[in-house]
Amino acid sequence: MSYPTLEDPAFDRAITLRDAYRIMERFASAYLARGDTLVSDFLYAYAGECIGGGVTDPVAIGDFLDAADQTLNPKE
């Protein structure tokens, strides 16, 4: 299975800092709701950026894009 990286075209969208904050809040909340690990582990082991545009947990990219979509395109 191939995972997107931070170089994926889905990351080319320009947003406001307000939206970026709301996306990160939703992204972190969804992660913490699963009960996987502590916040410190989240920041390093889940969302940390690696060389080449990847992140330490490749699933995090898709989770972030899902949070962005839910934040920027809320269902009416």
Side-chain angles (χ1 to χ4, degrees):
M1 174 178 216
S2 172
Y3 295 99
T5 69
L6 292 174
E7 302 304 318
D8 190 281
F11 284 93
D12 291 340
R13 181 177 182 178
I15 60 171
T16 66
L17 290 175
R18 184 178 299 105
D19 286 337
Y21 185 91
R22 289 175 177 150
I23 291 167
M24 183 54 71
E25 190 278 330
R26 185 180 297 259
F27 177 59
S29 292
Y31 176 84
L32 294 173
R34 289 194 301 264
D36 292 346
T37 62
L38 302 172
V39 173
S40 58
D41 291 335
F42 162 78
L43 293 173
Y44 178 73
Y46 182 66
E49 184 177 357
C50 300
I51 295 172
V55 295
T56 48
D57 185 335
V59 174
I61 294 282
D63 290 346
F64 184 85
L65 291 173
D66 288 344
D69 184 54
Q70 293 168 11
T71 300
L72 299 171
N73 304 304
K75 293 183 176 37
E76 301 298 324

